[in-house]
Amino acid sequence: MASETSAAPSLFLRNATGLVKGWSGFDAFGYSFMSVNLVTLGMFYSLAVFAYVPTASPVLSIVLAAIAVTFLAIAYSGLIAAMPRAGGDYIWQSRVLDGIPGILTGAVVGGVASFLVANAVGTGEPLNYALGVVGIVVGGLIGRLNGGIGFILAATGWWFILAMWAPIYGAILKLEFFQPIAALLKSPDGVSFFGSDNGTLVVSIITIALTSLLVALGMAGYARIQRWCLWAGLIGFAIMVVLMAISSQADFKVAFDRASENLFGVAGAYDKTIADAAANDAFTGSLDPLAMGDDLGATVSATLAMIPFMLFWILYPNWGSTLYGEVRGSGDFRKVLRGMLGGIWVTAVLAIVFVLLAANTFGWLFFNATNVNFINWFYGYTTTDPTVPVWSYPPLLASYLVDNSIFQIGMIVLFGAWFLGWSGTLFLSSTRMIFAAAFDRILPEHAAQVSERRAVPIMALLYIMIPAIVVSVLYSYSADFRALTLDATLVIAVTFLGSSVAATILPWYKPQIFDNSPVAHLKLVISGSGLIISVILAWVIYLWLSDPLYGIGVGNTNSIIFLGVVYGAAAVVYVAARLIRRSQGIDLDAIHAEIPAE
Amino acid sequence: MRIFFATDVHGSEVCWRKFLNAAKFHKADVLIMGGDMTGKAMVPIVAIDGGWEVTLQEQRTTLSTEDEVREIEKRISDRGYYPIRLDRDEIEAWSADPSLVDARFKTEMLGAVERWMALADERLAGSGIRCVVSPANDDMFEIDPIIERASIVELGEANTIELDGFTLVSTGWANPTPWNTYRELPEPELRERIDGLVASVPDPHRAIFNFHAPPYGSNLDNAPKLDADMHYVSGGQALIPVGSKAVRESILAYGPALSLHGHIHEGKGAVTIGSTLAVNPGSSYEDGVLQAAIVDLDAKKGTVKRYLLING
């Protein structure tokens, strides 16, 4: 038997429900592009923290992160093609990570979590290991149950941790919209309010209300908004690029000093920011975007250390990982993959353009100084106020180049499209996970109910809104909690790691599924990509948990306890559901038990 | 009484075989197939010099032995497609004359249903397990008499069937779709049809509706939005309700204990509408996975005791 890829499928179709002509690859790209959001995630965090690894190569770190995530895109495209309507990490992991893989995955997650929590709360060395063993056993037992580890990894990544993303989105909205607008309107009270803990909470609540409203609107309505936002955001970005390209660093320095004095009463703000960062934030500069330093080995090593920061932004090209429809071929795999790769690489190229322009126009020293100067204060690493009271949001900086407040406000509003076009997916993702858990009887039936008139998933929204509000309060009033921002990415990375492992073993462990799929001929490509991204994610998770650079690992008791609560809560929910359902005569093992055909 | 309900297997041999074994596996008393049993595609296995050639999922394979051909035929059948052996002349003739394709489709669909009924009779004989099959909008009318002739399987469409104190009422007719399939009715006529069926039910609260179309706006009917050219809008991310308002209104009007649905493969779920539990187990027939609902009914109280949606 010999196989090759055919240019034209030989298939006769009849007229039947569900057969469609296809879908636009551009739509897939747009969804991925907005998920790997250059402005709301990239500029807000990943592209603002180069100063924390000053010897890393900025451009190389972007490229390496994009290469790493490319393997994620291949693995996920394979899962989507092999199990299309299953539609997501929960089902993929539940179907694939059973038996020995489920036990092993559960044991690793349980063991690591238990050991780290025991270590963080200071139980002492023998007990640490004993609790780690208990975690291995409990995790292994949960992993042995059909769907157990799938629920824990998916519920933490697609539900629980999204509660933490709500105030992070709130912080983004505050720093990228409300504070700049207040500043440009010359409202010191507004700047002060939005800079306060109360302001953070208010914007978080606004964010929660907005994202809930977008869920209520439904994806069909939101998709239209997203499309407009994509174009509006790109127009804004193009204006920023042009402004930065045609302006010199001297022009910018004059513009920044003028705006800072005019808006905040800070004279000589450009030089003062650099001096303050050096004095208060231990700022020593950062390698130029294209430079590789004198010691190539050290630069590469430092650049690798930047990847865990980069993933905060570029890890999510697969956010809309569902494919509908039938009678599909591997052409859809390619289309899904192209959409994700477009999202990754177009964004990566734009990020590089932005970084180069920032170095050219803002000045690389200033750009990194102003970021570290604000970030250290915002996350509570220092108590010294930043030189200017609002974050140097790049579109705001670029807008200063035109000395016109209407134009400046227009730029901020236009860039708001990057937020509006992306934020609706936050609760949409979690409500889908909640529905799936309710259909699998892990959550009560009411979790999947929709309202009579507009089919709004009110209870599912409450399941995410209530924890989101609680976490928003913590985030708003505790800088220590704000410093756990990278935990929000870590938990999602663990979920993605579960699916990456599933993609790695799927062709070999569940050949009846994979060999019957349109990507059966891509066994090595998908499994190999799954393996590579599994190793990368495991390594990044190890760095997050072990290296004090990231601030969320073993040196941060709050972070470890927070992670322990997240995973512990998922395990408790699952075990409780099993016990309750058993008392009701419902066997949850039956959900994934394969019925023999013969 | 335990019901095992699956739907929309669309010609998948492996799903049908799992369906027939499901009663023993899950200790069900009644099997109900909600319709859309027939496949949507035929895959030609073309005779070439010294063997055969087939393109499945854009992957062209050359086959040299009968065993290889049978193996690929099984793969094709398990996905829900009909494998057909043709020579190049026939392929050309089919390309020129769509009526030849239609005729062969009919032969394949009816032949498959005949085989499936025979297999059901063979596997379920003497088991005491009841099996109700109700064709739906994608199934041509000619399959109804084939089901009716089966000895174990009971035809659901337009019949009322007593099940341990409950009355099963079935229809595979659906509200209009963009594909203009066999059994579609405008909403008012669909409501009339449902009213006519329910009129013969002694106690509507003890009814089990087996209506292929899910109720409108129930979350069981969310399907990707299509544009006028039948392309997905927003890369398939934009879901809209496409269910039947007549079905929803009739559930609210009659308040059956249980309402079973299919039609929208992406619409897996269970919701309560009024006092009725409505379920759509969804379908992943192409993966060879039998999605289904297991529902335990309390004959004394006339209510649903428990349910579970499974991927078997």
Side-chain angles (χ1 to χ4, degrees):
Chain A
M1 198 184 298
S3 295
E4 59 183 285
T5 302
S6 168
S10 294
L11 192 71
F12 295 101
L13 294 170
R14 70 183 175 98
N15 205 25
T17 317
L19 296 181
V20 300
K21 288 179 183 167
W23 42 287
S24 157
F26 183 79
D27 287 334
F29 158 74
Y31 206 82
S32 175
F33 181 69
M34 290 303 268
S35 299
V36 183
N37 200 297
L38 176 62
V39 174
T40 54
L41 296 174
M43 290 182 186
F44 171 76
Y45 193 92
S46 299
L47 305 178
V49 295
F50 290 119
Y52 292 90
V53 192
T55 53
S57 164
V59 166
L60 186 60
S61 65
I62 294 170
V63 171
L64 289 179
I67 290 172
V69 181
T70 294
F71 292 108
L72 182 83
I74 298 170
Y76 266 76
S77 298
L79 286 170
I80 291 167
M83 291 186 275
R85 273 183 306 281
D89 296 88
Y90 176 44
I91 305 297
W92 294 329
Q93 291 175 20
S94 295
R95 279 197 196 168
V96 180
L97 299 181
D98 59 7
I100 300 292
I103 292 170
L104 291 175
T105 309
V108 169
V109 173
V112 171
S114 300
F115 175 77
L116 290 177
V117 171
N119 200 41
V121 298
T123 55
E125 196 148 88
L127 202 53
N128 293 354
Y129 291 107
L131 289 171
V133 170
V134 170
I136 289 172
V137 172
V138 172
L141 287 173
I142 291 175
R144 187 172 165 272
L145 301 170
N146 282 343
I149 196 64
F151 174 79
I152 288 174
L153 294 186
T156 48
W158 287 91
W159 174 16
F160 293 2
I161 204 62
L162 295 189
M164 186 177 185
W165 276 97
I168 293 173
Y169 277 40
I172 293 166
L173 186 60
K174 168 182 122 160
L175 296 178
E176 296 192 354
F177 188 80
F178 283 109
Q179 263 203 321
I181 292 287
L184 293 170
L185 291 172
K186 294 190 180 174
S187 167
D189 289 345
V191 170
S192 172
F193 175 73
F194 288 117
S196 69
D197 294 346
N198 288 341
T200 302
L201 182 61
V202 166
V203 180
S204 294
I205 300 295
I206 291 171
T207 305
I208 290 167
L210 175 68
T211 52
S212 302
L213 181 72
L214 293 172
V215 171
L217 182 66
M219 192 59 207
Y222 184 50
R224 278 197 298 273
I225 295 174
Q226 277 189 313
R227 183 170 274 258
W228 284 106
C229 286
L230 175 63
W231 291 116
L234 285 173
I235 290 168
F237 188 80
I239 294 170
M240 186 178 82
V241 165
V242 170
L243 273 177
M244 292 171 76
I246 63 173
S247 306
S248 68
Q249 209 172 110
D251 293 337
F252 174 73
K253 186 179 177 190
V254 169
F256 184 75
D257 284 346
R258 180 182 59 226
S260 298
E261 182 147 21
N262 186 22
L263 300 176
F264 313 116
V266 180
Y270 189 95
D271 290 331
K272 190 170 186 319
T273 299
I274 296 170
D276 286 352
N280 304 327
D281 304 299
F283 174 65
T284 56
S286 177
L287 207 57
D288 283 346
L290 289 171
M292 287 303 291
D294 298 330
D295 182 346
L296 188 62
T299 303
V300 170
S301 176
T303 303
L304 291 175
M306 274 303 293
I307 289 177
F309 286 121
M310 288 293 130
L311 292 190
F312 178 83
W313 149 61
I314 206 168
L315 185 64
Y316 323 104
N318 54 339
W319 202 248
S321 49
T322 308
L323 178 65
Y324 298 108
E326 297 161 40
V327 194
R328 297 185 162 282
S330 54
D332 275 343
F333 165 79
R334 291 192 293 273
K335 199 180 276 187
V336 169
L337 181 58
R338 274 201 299 268
M340 288 193 202
L341 294 184
I344 297 167
W345 284 100
V346 171
T347 307
V349 168
L350 293 180
I352 291 169
V353 169
F354 164 72
V355 161
L356 293 175
L357 284 170
N360 178 67
T361 311
F362 301 153
W364 196 236
L365 189 67
F366 167 79
F367 179 68
N368 286 295
T370 192
N371 276 316
V372 80
N373 183 237
F374 188 87
I375 288 170
N376 275 359
W377 169 79
F378 184 72
Y379 292 111
Y381 303 143
T382 66
T383 52
T384 314
D385 286 346
T387 308
V388 290
V390 302
W391 174 50
S392 289
Y393 177 37
L396 178 68
L397 296 183
S399 77
Y400 289 158
L401 289 162
V402 178
D403 187 16
N404 179 304
S405 58
I406 303 292
F407 172 82
Q408 292 165 351
I409 290 170
M411 276 286 280
I412 298 304
V413 170
L414 201 53
F415 266 83
W418 286 90
F419 183 88
L420 184 63
W422 159 80
S423 56
T425 57
L426 174 69
F427 284 0
L428 200 73
S429 308
S430 54
T431 51
R432 281 180 182 171
M433 172 64 213
I434 291 166
F435 279 167
F439 296 151
D440 279 1
R441 310 309 308 274
I442 294 167
L443 295 179
E445 194 178 315
H446 66 242
Q449 284 296 122
V450 295
S451 70
E452 288 277 330
R453 287 187 60 201
R454 295 190 57 83
V456 177
I458 293 169
M459 292 307 295
L461 275 173
L462 287 175
Y463 270 70
I464 180 68
M465 285 171 73
I466 291 169
I469 290 168
V470 172
V471 174
S472 294
V473 172
L474 291 171
Y475 188 93
S476 300
Y477 295 101
S478 166
D480 287 345
F481 198 83
R482 277 199 291 281
L484 308 186
T485 293
L486 269 176
D487 277 340
T489 302
L490 184 151
V491 174
I492 293 174
V494 172
T495 302
F496 288 1
L497 174 58
S499 290
S500 300
V501 170
T504 307
I505 65 173
L506 174 64
W508 323 102
Y509 186 59
K510 301 274 180 174
Q512 71 277 22
I513 294 176
F514 192 82
D515 290 346
N516 202 29
S517 78
V519 288
H521 60 294
L522 297 172
K523 194 174 279 190
L524 288 177
V525 172
I526 291 164
S527 182
S529 297
L531 180 62
I532 291 169
I533 191 59
S534 295
V535 170
I536 292 170
L537 287 174
W539 167 71
V540 169
I541 291 164
Y542 171 75
L543 285 184
W544 274 325
L545 290 174
S546 63
D547 193 328
L549 172 65
Y550 308 101
I552 56 169
V554 288
N556 186 334
T557 303
N558 291 335
S559 173
I560 298 300
I561 290 176
F562 173 72
L563 292 172
V565 167
V566 167
Y567 286 95
V572 167
V573 168
Y574 186 74
V575 171
R578 297 281 305 202
L579 295 174
I580 291 167
R581 293 307 185 196
R582 186 190 290 171
S583 73
Q584 295 170 340
I586 297 172
D587 176 16
L588 297 188
D589 270 338
I591 294 170
H592 299 288
E594 183 165 1
I595 303 165
E598 303 306 331
Chain B
M1 176 179 62
R2 173 167 288 182
I3 286 173
F4 183 92
F5 172 73
T7 181
D8 296 84
V9 292
H10 284 290
S12 167
E13 281 283 340
V14 70
C15 284
W16 178 253
R17 287 167 182 268
K18 285 180 175 181
F19 174 72
L20 296 178
N21 282 357
K24 275 186 192 164
F25 190 77
H26 286 294
K27 300 180 176 59
D29 305 295
V30 183
L31 293 169
I32 300 174
M33 173 57 65
D36 279 3
M37 304 168 68
T38 45
K40 302 177 179 185
M42 291 189 293
V43 178
I45 300 170
V46 184
I48 56 171
D49 286 343
W52 301 84
E53 191 177 83
V54 62
T55 301
L56 182 61
Q57 295 162 333
E58 297 171 30
Q59 189 71 11
R60 193 169 65 221
T61 306
T62 305
L63 311 161
S64 51
T65 68
E66 181 63 21
D67 284 348
E68 285 178 353
V69 176
R70 288 204 179 134
E71 187 189 326
I72 204 93
E73 283 177 333
K74 183 178 182 308
R75 271 185 64 193
I76 293 167
S77 300
D78 284 348
R79 282 193 75 77
Y81 310 156
Y82 299 115
I84 46 169
R85 299 191 192 193
L86 297 174
D87 58 36
R88 290 205 184 278
D89 292 341
E90 286 173 304
I91 286 275
E92 281 177 24
W94 283 32
S95 302
D97 184 359
S99 69
L100 293 173
V101 178
D102 292 343
R104 184 62 181 262
F105 250 125
K106 185 174 177 181
T107 304
E108 292 295 330
M109 288 191 285
L110 298 184
V113 175
E114 289 270 13
R115 263 200 335 274
W116 283 14
M117 293 304 109
L119 187 65
D121 288 345
E122 178 191 318
R123 287 203 179 173
L124 300 177
S127 67
I129 297 161
R130 294 180 71 178
C131 179
V132 180
V133 172
S134 187
N137 66 302
D138 278 330
D139 297 320
M140 60 200 320
F141 296 105
E142 287 87 338
I143 77 166
D144 295 40
I146 298 173
I147 298 168
E148 206 154 25
R149 283 199 301 272
S151 54
I152 301 284
V153 176
E154 300 167 69
L155 176 66
E157 178 65 47
N159 291 324
T160 51
I161 296 172
E162 287 306 305
L163 296 174
D164 194 22
F166 293 88
T167 308
L168 180 70
V169 196
S170 306
T171 186
W173 289 76
N175 50 312
T177 74
W179 294 274
N180 191 26
T181 55
Y182 295 104
R183 304 170 201 239
E184 296 182 9
L185 283 173
E187 294 280 13
E189 290 174 41
L190 185 56
R191 180 64 199 270
E192 279 177 30
R193 185 177 181 83
I194 291 170
D195 287 342
L197 292 170
V198 181
S200 59
V201 174
D203 178 0
H205 296 300
R206 279 184 168 264
I208 300 168
F209 285 0
N210 174 27
F211 298 160
H212 191 62
Y216 178 82
S218 60
N219 237 18
L220 309 180
D221 66 330
N222 281 341
K225 189 178 180 184
L226 302 175
D227 64 17
D229 296 324
M230 305 288 272
H231 289 94
Y232 285 130
V233 171
S234 305
Q237 297 292 330
L239 300 180
I240 54 167
V242 297
S244 164
K245 290 177 179 167
V247 169
R248 183 183 189 94
E249 287 162 8
S250 58
I251 290 171
L252 288 168
Y254 295 111
L258 175 65
S259 199
L260 305 169
H261 307 280
H263 196 38
I264 306 304
H265 302 180
E266 301 85 357
K268 174 184 173 180
V271 294
T272 305
I273 298 175
S275 59
T276 302
L277 174 71
V279 299
N280 174 3
S283 173
S284 293
Y285 72 93
E286 282 184 295
D287 304 347
V289 173
L290 183 67
Q291 292 185 207
I294 299 169
V295 186
D296 290 347
L297 291 155
D298 187 327
K300 278 186 187 168
K301 295 179 183 169
T303 56
V304 171
K305 277 164 76 176
R306 59 183 82 88
Y307 72 90
L308 196 63
L309 303 180
I310 63 142
N311 310 303

